[in-house]
Amino acid sequence: MLAVWVEQLLGFASGALGAIRDNEHYPSFMAWARDEGRALVGDDLALAQALAPELWSQTPLERAGYVCEPLARPGRNEPCWCDSGRKTKHCCGAVTIPGPIPSHLMWMLSLREWKGASLKAALASGQAPAQALLEAGLIAAESGQRGRAQQILEALFEGADWAQMPEQAEPAFELLVDLYQERGFYRKRTALLDEVLDRGPLFLRGVALERLCLMHLDNDDLASAREAFVRAQQALPDSPTLAYIEAMLLLHEGNVEEAGERARFWFRRLARQGDLDPEQLQFLADLAENPGATLAEQMVNSEEDLADPLAALQALLEALPTAPLLRFVTADDGSREYHRSAREDTLFAAWQKHFQVLVDEDAALGFEDDPWPHAGDWLAELCAHPEWLDSPQVVQALTLALTSRFGSLPWMAPSLFEPLAQRLERWLTQLDGEGDGAFVWDAADNAVLLRTGLALVVGMERGAREHSRELAERLLALDAQDSLGLRELVLDQLLREGSDRRALEVSYQSADTPLLGVMMGRALALYRLERLDEASEALREAQAINGHVLEMLCNERARAVSLPASGLPAPGSRAEAWQYRTLMRDQWANTRGALAWLCNPEAPRD
């Protein structure tokens, strides 16, 4: 019965709103209720007359500056407010309204209807109830009106009375953060998070800290992510989301065993409290058993239309047969070349009919367009034709696509990237048997294999670091010119593993102009090896490359610098220094005395 009443009320209220907007005066509205409105409530005149004054009293009027003109509720023996001329007890007072009437209903419907200047003025009036803004914003987002949803939800949080903020505002807050992210309003996103962290209610502060932690993870800023997680833990110590976030954080940090231990801790703690629903409890149990696999499954299932095709791809890669041999040729100068075969071209042509997007030949990683909007098609076709993966060009395109979408997620490496890496390594092993000549980027079809290798190194960097580093070193040995820019990555990974002597060797292997990351890595390796004079010289060379890097590393609260859309900051820029800080400050901080020495290299070491 309640569902029937809600539908009936919404129908009458929508009609009432249209009548009020036609003529914002009460007598005209009551005439509509008697003549036309009664049809919207089963031709019940008494109910129509009883509803009309209730809805009028909560309707914002444009002519009044978006203020409502509520009617004084009459006493039982006073004239009824529906203007029937009868006493209330014999008129609307005798009508039983079938269910509740939300006090914000007409504001919510008005926000759904107003457009342009009217909507802007209504929001600016500050009269809209928080619940009306909340519901209207969520409805706009669900209907695909992202700009309208952002505009309405901004009014909910701008100048909010935080003490009166309903707890239902949590999904609206998360939605607005997502809208800022999707639409590129990064400054607004940061300002909203700062406002909530400074002044918001506890339940929103915890959510804001959780989102901040995830944002830092997306940006590879693990130190800031860890700080945000600790603050979130203090604000909401019993939030089940913290178990999920800590598992992600530890996996990003490469602490796989600790991720399992902490997941088991969270499961025991939250299970004892007994206030989780069965689905949440099962997720925590799965997380405790295998954090990486559970997060990978959740990631795949969250992809909506792509969940089944991605699961099928994982199954395909797990059972992939050994790759066939390729055709390698030794050139007159002794260099080695890969040449595509006719069969490989045929397989690639069949794949390309569905994939459609071309690899950007002028970039190390990337496409000329986005392949993911039609991924359901090419994923399904690939799973139906696994022999397409005998073509290195197909492996290249698939790897690039997967890296672009899942390369930042450590838990996706085992099921998506490592099987493809094994396929490439089969071909590289074959190449090793063809001699020791150079294998340069721009010869024959070599770039296909080298680009695939780079994409796999990036895709495995967080979730299979040792495998990623081994493949990167193998590619470096093939391409001494380092066309892929792998030297910095290998150096960073060796430093993380504590392989300082090997890291130092790698830093000296390039004869080209040294890069910031290479020189800073050399300085750190030398410091760890207690070769301080050489470390100081390397540090001076790094400062000559980028004069901002020491300031960025030494400032505990350094201000973030936005990276360009390409992700490649200009050499010598603050963005380049910020990128290095994000990637490697934790290694300096975790090396005893290194940060203090870095900020004052002339001071004696402890």
Side-chain angles (χ1 to χ4, degrees):
M1 289 298 294
L2 182 60
V4 173
W5 162 243
V6 170
E7 183 176 352
Q8 193 175 58
L9 175 62
L10 283 174
F12 184 85
S14 297
L17 185 62
I20 292 172
R21 294 288 171 251
D22 286 341
N23 184 339
E24 291 188 341
H25 291 87
Y26 183 63
S28 298
F29 170 55
M30 283 307 306
W32 170 87
R34 294 188 180 97
D35 296 340
E36 301 176 40
R38 59 191 296 175
L40 299 174
V41 286
D43 206 32
D44 188 335
L45 175 60
L47 180 58
Q49 289 185 151
L51 282 175
E54 299 281 0
L55 297 181
W56 168 270
S57 294
Q58 60 163 273
T59 302
L61 303 174
E62 290 188 69
R63 64 169 172 77
Y66 303 96
V67 174
C68 303
E69 291 184 349
L71 302 169
R73 191 174 295 276
R76 285 174 48 78
N77 292 311
E78 294 178 339
C80 188
W81 59 355
C82 74
D83 289 347
S84 64
R86 294 181 294 167
K87 289 184 178 181
T88 298
K89 64 183 180 183
H90 297 308
C91 191
C92 293
V95 176
T96 301
I97 295 178
I101 303 173
S103 61
H104 63 279
L105 175 61
M106 297 303 279
W107 251 111
M108 186 272 288
L109 294 176
S110 296
L111 291 171
R112 287 179 56 185
E113 296 298 324
W114 277 321
K115 296 180 177 64
S118 295
L119 177 62
K120 184 177 180 180
L123 296 174
S125 73
Q127 298 294 319
Q131 193 67 32
L133 291 166
L134 171 63
E135 293 180 16
L138 293 175
I139 291 170
E142 289 172 0
S143 61
Q145 302 176 76
R146 297 191 305 164
R148 184 183 186 87
Q150 177 180 320
Q151 188 179 7
I152 293 172
L153 292 177
E154 283 176 340
L156 174 62
F157 292 103
E158 286 176 358
D161 180 358
W162 297 112
Q164 300 300 318
M165 183 66 66
E167 291 210 13
Q168 299 94 316
E170 181 179 325
F173 169 72
E174 295 199 80
L175 174 59
L176 185 54
V177 173
D178 288 338
L179 287 170
Y180 283 151
Q181 174 69 28
E182 292 169 11
R183 307 186 74 219
F185 291 91
Y186 302 121
R187 291 184 180 178
K188 284 191 171 186
R189 180 190 64 184
T190 300
L192 175 61
L193 288 169
D194 288 345
E195 176 76 2
V196 169
L197 290 173
D198 287 344
R199 301 175 50 230
L202 183 61
F203 74 92
L204 275 188
R205 287 206 303 274
V207 175
L209 286 165
E210 290 170 355
R211 294 305 296 263
L212 194 60
C213 181
L214 294 175
M215 284 165 49
H216 289 316
L217 285 178
D218 288 342
N219 294 328
D220 280 329
D221 189 351
L222 299 185
S224 297
R226 170 62 64 181
E227 180 184 346
F229 171 77
V230 170
R231 292 173 64 193
Q233 198 172 14
Q234 293 168 345
L236 291 174
D238 296 323
S239 170
T241 309
L242 292 176
Y244 162 74
I245 291 179
E246 187 171 26
M248 288 195 296
L249 178 57
L250 288 166
L251 290 174
H252 271 277
E253 293 172 339
N255 300 318
V256 178
E257 291 185 7
E258 188 178 354
E261 292 172 3
R262 291 296 298 171
R264 289 188 286 276
F265 160 78
W266 280 108
F267 173 69
R268 291 192 299 270
R269 175 177 175 174
L270 296 174
R272 281 197 301 267
Q273 294 178 1
D275 54 359
L276 296 181
D277 62 47
E279 187 174 334
Q280 285 179 309
L281 197 60
Q282 185 59 53
F283 175 77
L284 289 176
D286 294 341
L287 197 67
E289 183 175 346
N290 190 328
T294 302
L295 292 175
E297 182 179 3
Q298 185 203 46
M299 180 73 252
V300 168
N301 291 336
S302 70
E303 290 290 320
E304 298 181 359
D305 295 341
L306 295 181
D308 289 340
L310 283 170
L313 176 66
Q314 288 175 315
L316 167 64
L317 294 178
E318 184 179 3
L320 205 58
T322 303
L325 299 178
L326 303 182
R327 180 182 171 220
F328 292 106
V329 173
T330 301
D332 294 340
D333 62 359
S335 63
R336 293 167 291 173
E337 298 175 352
Y338 158 59
H339 291 260
R340 302 193 314 266
S341 69
R343 177 176 181 267
E344 290 161 13
D345 284 344
T346 299
L347 294 173
F348 177 69
W351 151 270
Q352 197 62 24
K353 285 182 182 178
H354 302 277
F355 192 70
Q356 301 176 14
V357 177
L358 295 174
V359 170
D360 185 351
E361 301 291 347
D362 296 326
L365 297 175
F367 295 102
E368 293 182 358
D369 202 355
D370 183 3
W372 284 100
H374 60 282
D377 177 35
W378 55 260
L379 281 170
E381 290 295 331
L382 177 62
C383 292
H385 300 88
E387 69 277 7
W388 289 352
L389 289 172
D390 290 350
S391 163
Q393 281 185 287
V394 175
V395 175
Q396 171 188 243
L398 176 62
T399 303
L400 287 173
L402 293 174
T403 299
S404 70
R405 195 172 185 102
F406 303 112
S408 63
L409 306 175
W411 42 91
M412 301 306 291
S415 63
L416 294 182
F417 296 107
E418 291 200 275
L420 291 170
Q422 292 169 6
R423 201 163 193 76
L424 175 67
E425 287 162 341
R426 153 85 166 167
W427 291 328
L428 296 183
T429 299
Q430 180 193 350
L431 177 60
D432 291 340
E434 301 290 334
D436 57 1
F439 191 75
V440 298
W441 176 275
D442 54 3
D445 299 312
N446 293 1
V448 173
L449 297 181
L450 292 172
R451 187 183 285 110
T452 302
L454 175 60
L456 287 167
V457 167
V458 173
M460 296 190 299
E461 184 181 3
R462 294 175 178 85
R465 286 182 175 171
E466 185 175 352
H467 196 171
S468 173
R469 194 252 304 155
E470 289 171 352
L471 178 57
E473 290 194 271
R474 194 168 185 177
L475 294 169
L476 265 178
L478 284 175
D479 179 20
Q481 299 173 356
D482 193 17
S483 308
L484 307 177
L486 289 171
R487 198 171 311 281
E488 275 188 276
L489 185 147
V490 170
L491 179 57
D492 292 352
Q493 291 181 337
L494 288 168
L495 289 168
R496 289 187 179 279
E497 294 172 10
S499 304
D500 301 321
R501 295 187 185 279
R502 176 70 183 124
L504 189 59
E505 291 174 11
V506 170
S507 77
Y508 282 112
Q509 285 174 359
S510 175
D512 298 334
T513 303
L515 301 171
L516 175 63
V518 171
M519 294 311 304
M520 290 299 297
R522 181 183 301 173
L524 180 56
L526 287 165
Y527 177 86
R528 288 176 173 179
L529 296 170
E530 300 188 347
R531 295 160 60 175
L532 297 188
D533 290 343
E534 295 170 84
S536 295
E537 177 59 30
L539 199 57
R540 283 191 288 272
E541 291 187 49
Q543 285 182 278
I545 295 170
N546 190 305
H548 306 289
V549 67
L550 291 192
E551 171 201 344
M552 283 288 185
L553 286 169
C554 293
N555 185 351
E556 187 75 26
R557 302 288 180 183
R559 226 178 142 75
V561 179
S562 298
L563 297 177
S566 65
L568 299 174
S573 66
R574 291 183 64 82
E576 182 189 42
W578 172 258
Q579 185 179 61
Y580 179 78
R581 181 192 195 277
T582 297
L583 294 173
M584 292 300 290
R585 189 178 189 274
D586 65 316
Q587 290 303 298
W588 286 92
N590 293 336
T591 301
R592 182 181 176 186
L595 266 184
W597 171 82
L598 186 72
C599 302
N600 187 9
E602 304 304 324
R605 186 180 178 188
D606 292 341

